[in-house]
Amino acid sequence: MSRGYFSDIPKIEFKGPESSDPFSYQYYDKDRVVLGKTMEEHLRFAVCYWHSFCWDGFDIFGAGTFERPWQAGELDQEAAEHKLDEAFDFISKLGVPFFCFHDVDVMAAAATPQEHVKNLSVMVDKIEDKMGETGIKLLWGTANLFSHPRYMAGGATNPDPEVAAYAAMQVRNALEATHRLKGENYVLWGGREGYDCALNTAIGHELDQLGRFLNMVVEHKHKIGFKGTVLIEPKPHEPTKHQYDVDVATVYGFLKRYGLEDEVKVNVEANHATLAGHSFEHEIQLANDLGVFGSVDLNRGDPQNGWDTDQFPNDLREITLAVYYILQGGGFETGGFNFDAKVRRQSVDAEDLCHGHVGAIDLTARALLNAAAMIEDGALERFVEDRYAGWKSGVGAKMLSGDLDLAGLADYAVDNNIAPVRKSGRQEYLENYVTRFTK
Amino acid sequence: MSRGYFSDIPKIEFKGPESSDPFSYQYYDKDRVVLGKTMEEHLRFAVCYWHSFCWDGFDIFGAGTFERPWQAGELDQEAAEHKLDEAFDFISKLGVPFFCFHDVDVMAAAATPQEHVKNLSVMVDKIEDKMGETGIKLLWGTANLFSHPRYMAGGATNPDPEVAAYAAMQVRNALEATHRLKGENYVLWGGREGYDCALNTAIGHELDQLGRFLNMVVEHKHKIGFKGTVLIEPKPHEPTKHQYDVDVATVYGFLKRYGLEDEVKVNVEANHATLAGHSFEHEIQLANDLGVFGSVDLNRGDPQNGWDTDQFPNDLREITLAVYYILQGGGFETGGFNFDAKVRRQSVDAEDLCHGHVGAIDLTARALLNAAAMIEDGALERFVEDRYAGWKSGVGAKMLSGDLDLAGLADYAVDNNIAPVRKSGRQEYLENYVTRFTK
Amino acid sequence: MSRGYFSDIPKIEFKGPESSDPFSYQYYDKDRVVLGKTMEEHLRFAVCYWHSFCWDGFDIFGAGTFERPWQAGELDQEAAEHKLDEAFDFISKLGVPFFCFHDVDVMAAAATPQEHVKNLSVMVDKIEDKMGETGIKLLWGTANLFSHPRYMAGGATNPDPEVAAYAAMQVRNALEATHRLKGENYVLWGGREGYDCALNTAIGHELDQLGRFLNMVVEHKHKIGFKGTVLIEPKPHEPTKHQYDVDVATVYGFLKRYGLEDEVKVNVEANHATLAGHSFEHEIQLANDLGVFGSVDLNRGDPQNGWDTDQFPNDLREITLAVYYILQGGGFETGGFNFDAKVRRQSVDAEDLCHGHVGAIDLTARALLNAAAMIEDGALERFVEDRYAGWKSGVGAKMLSGDLDLAGLADYAVDNNIAPVRKSGRQEYLENYVTRFTK
Amino acid sequence: MSRGYFSDIPKIEFKGPESSDPFSYQYYDKDRVVLGKTMEEHLRFAVCYWHSFCWDGFDIFGAGTFERPWQAGELDQEAAEHKLDEAFDFISKLGVPFFCFHDVDVMAAAATPQEHVKNLSVMVDKIEDKMGETGIKLLWGTANLFSHPRYMAGGATNPDPEVAAYAAMQVRNALEATHRLKGENYVLWGGREGYDCALNTAIGHELDQLGRFLNMVVEHKHKIGFKGTVLIEPKPHEPTKHQYDVDVATVYGFLKRYGLEDEVKVNVEANHATLAGHSFEHEIQLANDLGVFGSVDLNRGDPQNGWDTDQFPNDLREITLAVYYILQGGGFETGGFNFDAKVRRQSVDAEDLCHGHVGAIDLTARALLNAAAMIEDGALERFVEDRYAGWKSGVGAKMLSGDLDLAGLADYAVDNNIAPVRKSGRQEYLENYVTRFTK
Ligand SMILES: [Co+2]
Ligand SMILES: [Co+2]
Ligand SMILES: [Co+2]
Ligand SMILES: [Co+2]
Ligand SMILES: [Co+2]
Ligand SMILES: [Co+2]
Ligand SMILES: [Co+2]
Ligand SMILES: [Co+2]
């Protein structure tokens, strides 16, 4: 590559909190040790291929605005390689350790299964080389089962099993590619696994299709010896009226139903959390408590717009709490922070892609410092422990252990004619506490 | 009762579709046989005690407007009996077979557990008498674990086990009262089982409290020989920021987690469905397909307002589809249509309460006729069956049965270089079909 | 055109309410007289060019699914003519009197202003011929100031006046084309007139740009002798974070600010009403009462999805009320019902486009019969009149006429120590009334 | 008052950013000069009477939880005086300069107009004394036209003019009390001025009632020589289905319609902004640009709950932007930051009320420092100016001045065959800039 698209973007370096250089990190000092690990080890940032290198800026009311050179013509082998060069150049400049991709993001367009297998295979070799050259690793791979018209009525949940077979072909190859590239996770996002119209949909049948399909994926993972984590990414709707993987709780119930709760974890996306009516940190807390927390797609939605805007995060308080609960849950194992975020359609320059990522990386690093300070301080954790301390003994403990049944517990209330004392939840105090640490 | 509050309300009779008498039924002819059962047997209507006889018309910005005579002073034994007389007079005039109640709806206010037990017990005798006199039956009973300040941080999920003991006392007594009154179901609605603030909440601990509590309820039900169904009523939020029983899928996952999926079913409320981001009929379909459909709280929300408005239903298309899917699932067993609906705050007269119920009853009866016609026609059901017919043989059947693994299914796609054919979902055709039957 | 895309679609005829032929009208009998006018004269249906003939079924997560023959290659002159032939064939089969279009919908793609002028001009001749042949008339024309990347930051409200000049060129030509084709209205929809990010936006400056631009349009209309109505179509957001023409009330304030309230009216879209937090009928009522009601884009949104789904309407109650209030306001003058609606992405066949329109046309015709019956009955209108009758005399009348000031009215209250009587709003009764007429 | 409810709350003092004392200010140093004015002068904080001293913690699903001593019995004269003592004790401890009140907040309950006038009058004397003693001033007064059942169908917009007369009595007395207490503004919030049901509502008639009523208020203000500002507080809905004062743009249109745009300004509430689908800062920017910005009700909503939660603000970025735009608009004249915020229902202690206010005051002071730094830096303002610089000359300037008409501007585009250049909106860069200043 002679003069690339990102040539004018400098390597982004840590310059400290006083820096006002927009092409520097104020907080992300990757080797800085926080709570016993480096920032890089904690945060495990990944750049996503699709929004950053494949999307051309189109939206439902207008055509692409970006004019990236590799998007000028057909997505053939040459364009795929051009894109790969630019992508790894950009990620290298950011200095983040990981990337993520869908099969169709990286390869030349394919019209048939056989072409798909071939075109993907060629690019996996190229990607492997690039990874070797740059040291950039794969956080996760996935298969795109939503963009092609064949998937208009779903992949695994399609009324036509031929489409499920096509999906199986893509997933098998994407999973094997991920394995070969030493990916740390494999993700499934069911953008078309749901329905547009309940009238023509056998919901139970489709759930069974999906449950069987996911079991097949897990079996194949074990067969090929892939040690990474299989992840489902919840979202309530959009593109469809309704998606089956609504939120963390729904996915948990689905996994239980199909015997997969020990095999599969969730990839929590901030914007999908809020679309589902939950705060981002709620979904992380719940995933922790249900034992299914895996990884994060970091971005933000617009609280006044009702669709998936996938903006870069900029809410320091929200990300501070997200990191706090991730650390509370033990931190990432195979997961990481993938920026499933796109610059706005008016942000047409190479540098805009840089601003989006630099701002998000720095915000998250700053959030890590805040969260670590809260953990070291410990007051929030202690508050919660104290609040539930009553359950460690007495009737509380007996109820939980099964030593008291309903009648026994009711009798306790009547015999003692109890009068529970109201105790403040101290919400405002705790919110102020978090505000104090959000800096 | 000499001259009651509802004295001017006539007994509501069926007068046929041409009637323009607002105090008559145009469609609800309770003995009319539809698909082999009477309308009364299909629809199993219930009037709820709380909205109709306890609520005084207050809202968060203003005081009560209704001035029902029994609400004039304290809720003592006399007022409780006055309310009972009026309630059964009203339900009798509507001619519906069931009612539903919370413990505190029917009894004199109690300040302690011992008073609670006594005050409820006295009224259970009175209710039993009334039921005998009028023939009105109990669809379900429940305990109110949300109105008293002691429950501000939850009942079973309270950080203080004393409060859980209080809740156990109420549930035990409400369940036993329901059993004695031959109630067909017992409902739990967790209005405060959730959180206002995640910072002070141990979500996993609270879920375990709730899981254990629900197991205790089920064990007690069996112990006392109650044959009715235990039901959970999902709702995503309000009063709290977040409730644990978000929607049908979430409740299903909760039941699976605590081993209760064969013991407990759901009471689907229309307004709670839409607050959770689902259509009402979606929640019914999903509950059917997950095997947990139990009963319905019939009402409607306001699609432009974001809280639980609990209005009387008036969307014939929506209720037609709801009844259609209930019939598809086999119809109600122990469940029924409970009107968890309240007249608007400006509807201050006795007759307004009548208009609300008559309109809703008639709408649902009309929906039953529509749904029955759709079932007899059979085209919708056939369309869905045909759409998934491909899964009955070939690779589809093999995938579902486990005879094909991921690699096998992928190989099928590659070896045959398959090209699935796009097939219309015919959404507009099917919507028009439903429109034609909505009359 | 030898064998066209819609060849298998029959001419849609009125067959009466008992017909179950999906390719017939059950209610739309265009020459049937209702309240003194034919259905055709009342309803003034229009088919829109963009959704029906230009959109290829793509969405933000996937490529086009429709494969209309005229969409196979570039949008050159040949494709534009092919599209025109098919469009008029389809509209003719529906038997509706009008169509609507954006400049870029009908013409070959143009890369420069000069090409734009030429390409549009060529097609205006062709359209004129088609209109002559078929008798189909133009309800309104408009210019697309949102799809091309140049408009990413707005048309008239762009920070760059060159873009406003480009917009002026398009609007001038679209307005003149509309005039030549005897269009009855000219519409402006400001999909990009708003902002994605308030940080980089001078809201007041942009409003002034838009106010001046709209004045220029109105001046030009008068200069060229166009007698049709200029219409603004409100929408709160999407594609942008925020659009300036949020809803009817906002547009009214904008018109007042720039002295245009007697010159410009609104084109109310059902889906935009609900996105803005209002019911569809609210927006019609308000537009009537503010004197700015013009025309309607008929469609529906999804109450659980937060974006503009532009589905075909299927809610008989909603459309009955919409037609009722339109009739109450005197009916359409130059406006009409334009179907700004698109079939779902899975509805890939020619017949699906037909089902969408036939269902919507029939629903609206049925709504007209319902609304007319309500008007003939008159009870709803009388109820409202009676409710406000107190304002026709006494202190009410004096307050409105200015004969009483605040102190005078307050004195009246104190001197008489008044105690206003609570009077029921009878909401449930009125809702039942509407239900009875919704058939 | 011997030992008051707030006795254990210390006087809140400024202790600097390193303080971890929750009963201190880290940022609010009232005499600190920022951009030429003290923090106190810039921020003009007010404590509201209603949420802090009148609300007992009830919500729609449960009874009051707070047990403030003055709420134990009836709201008689003694209770009103007790409340006043405690309120001013609390406000004094916070050290903020202002308070706000509704008539019924401060007075003994009144059953008739004559009692109302007397009871309010007695308390105005007491308040005046308290203000003299403490130095606390009145930011604004208002009349509560929504809580009493008589207002269930509106105050000024009631179908019954007797109710409007009652409202006039309250407003006249509240306005005169505000005048006597040297209040700096008078507010109208139309919580019931709207409708629950459009079927029974003559929207246009009600708007005329409201327009005339507001004119009467303005006339009376001038008559009595009140120099403060009359303010309307927008809100889209809740308690009603629809309120007439939806948002800033709607209120502006209303003021223009009734000739009041130079007489009345808006009181922007954060939570009402987001309920209306706008960001808080949008409403401030728009009010500035329309010339109607007056004052602020500071609080926050819950982005996942659809009702007015009126929580204390805790989003530093949001408040930084709000203060930035207020300063850009010249800062407050008669307005200020009123905390229309309530502690959560579980926050039952006196100290919780303190935490809520201290956190909010400190957050806003911190936001002031951030906003001032952004203003001193000037980069954001310059960016916007540069972005629109093209409109200062050439065709842009001619279009705005009226020197170019539509044809002229269109000709310019065609004659020069213009090709506008795409220019990045730099949204991510600007967001990062704001993030950098949010500290
Ligand atoms: Co994602
Ligand atoms: Co997303
Ligand atoms: Co319910
Ligand atoms: Co409800
Ligand atoms: Co439209
Ligand atoms: Co639309
Ligand atoms: Co307010
Ligand atoms: Co509020």
Side-chain angles (χ1 to χ4, degrees), chain B residues 50-51 140 187 189 233-235 267-270 272 296-299 308 310 338-341:
Chain B
W50 51 99
H51 282 324
W140 46 264
V187 167
W189 175 63
E233 179 171 336
K235 190 178 182 187
N267 184 39
V268 175
E269 180 180 312
H272 299 176
V296 168
D297 266 15
L298 202 56
N299 58 15
D308 198 27
D310 282 354
N338 171 51
F339 294 113
D340 190 0

Side-chain angles (χ1 to χ4, degrees), chain C residues 12-284:
Chain C
I12 311 300
E13 311 280 1
F14 171 71
K15 297 194 178 168
E18 299 314 312
S19 167
S20 62
D21 176 0
F23 298 97
S24 73
Y25 296 123
Q26 295 182 284
Y27 297 91
Y28 185 57
D29 181 5
K30 72 187 172 61
D31 299 319
R32 176 170 172 185
V33 175
V34 179
L35 297 179
K37 287 202 286 190
T38 65
M39 281 192 156
E40 187 176 72
E41 289 164 344
H42 273 296
L43 298 173
R44 298 170 60 81
F45 289 126
V47 170
C48 84
Y49 222 91
W50 49 101
H51 282 325
S52 295
F53 310 113
C54 303
W55 181 53
D56 68 359
F58 88 99
D59 71 10
I60 204 73
F61 289 93
T65 55
F66 290 161
E67 307 191 311
R68 314 283 190 219
W70 57 91
Q71 294 167 346
E74 294 298 296
L75 178 48
D76 56 15
Q77 180 61 24
E78 193 187 332
E81 292 183 26
H82 186 174
K83 184 167 26 167
L84 180 67
D85 287 342
E86 296 288 7
F88 274 73
D89 183 36
F90 180 73
I91 303 169
S92 296
K93 283 178 169 176
L94 292 177
V96 301
F98 291 106
F99 79 111
C100 298
F101 75 99
H102 297 89
D103 48 3
V104 304
D105 298 340
V106 297
M107 58 188 262
T112 65
Q114 291 169 7
E115 229 176 281
H116 182 98
V117 172
K118 199 189 71 192
N119 293 2
L120 177 59
S121 167
V122 176
M123 285 306 297
V124 170
D125 292 343
K126 306 270 179 198
I127 294 169
E128 196 170 43
D129 292 347
K130 272 288 172 192
M131 291 170 69
E133 283 166 35
T134 59
I136 296 166
K137 294 171 289 178
L138 177 59
L139 187 64
W140 47 263
T142 187
N144 178 323
L145 307 180
F146 49 91
S147 293
H148 193 278
R150 86 175 62 85
Y151 294 120
M152 69 181 189
T157 64
N158 204 289
D160 179 0
E162 294 281 298
V163 177
Y166 213 111
M169 180 279 294
Q170 279 190 245
V171 172
R172 181 223 190 142
N173 283 277
L175 178 56
E176 292 179 359
T178 300
H179 183 38
R180 165 141 167 239
L181 298 173
K182 300 191 172 46
E184 309 210 4
N185 307 271
Y186 183 83
V187 168
L188 295 110
W189 175 64
R192 304 275 177 201
E193 314 294 12
Y195 60 80
D196 287 340
C197 175
L199 293 176
N200 64 15
T201 305
I203 294 176
H205 196 281
E206 293 202 352
L207 285 173
D208 286 348
Q209 294 173 220
L210 193 60
R212 172 64 192 134
F213 193 89
L214 188 55
N215 265 294
M216 288 159 72
V217 173
V218 168
E219 290 158 13
H220 194 70
K221 165 195 147 160
H222 290 302
K223 193 168 116 188
I224 65 174
F226 178 62
K227 301 296 180 209
T229 310
V230 173
L231 299 167
I232 285 184
E233 180 170 335
K235 189 177 183 188
H237 50 233
E238 202 213 8
T240 66
K241 154 75 182 182
H242 178 92
Q243 291 174 211
Y244 293 128
D245 302 328
V246 172
D247 56 12
V248 168
T250 300
V251 167
Y252 174 81
F254 173 80
L255 295 176
K256 284 290 283 185
R257 183 169 177 85
Y258 296 100
L260 290 163
E261 71 272 20
D262 296 329
E263 289 284 357
V264 178
K265 297 195 182 312
V266 290
N267 183 41
V268 175
E269 181 179 311
N271 200 156
H272 299 176
T274 53
L275 279 175
H278 309 297
S279 70
F280 179 28
E281 58 268 27
H282 165 85
E283 288 290 87
I284 293 169

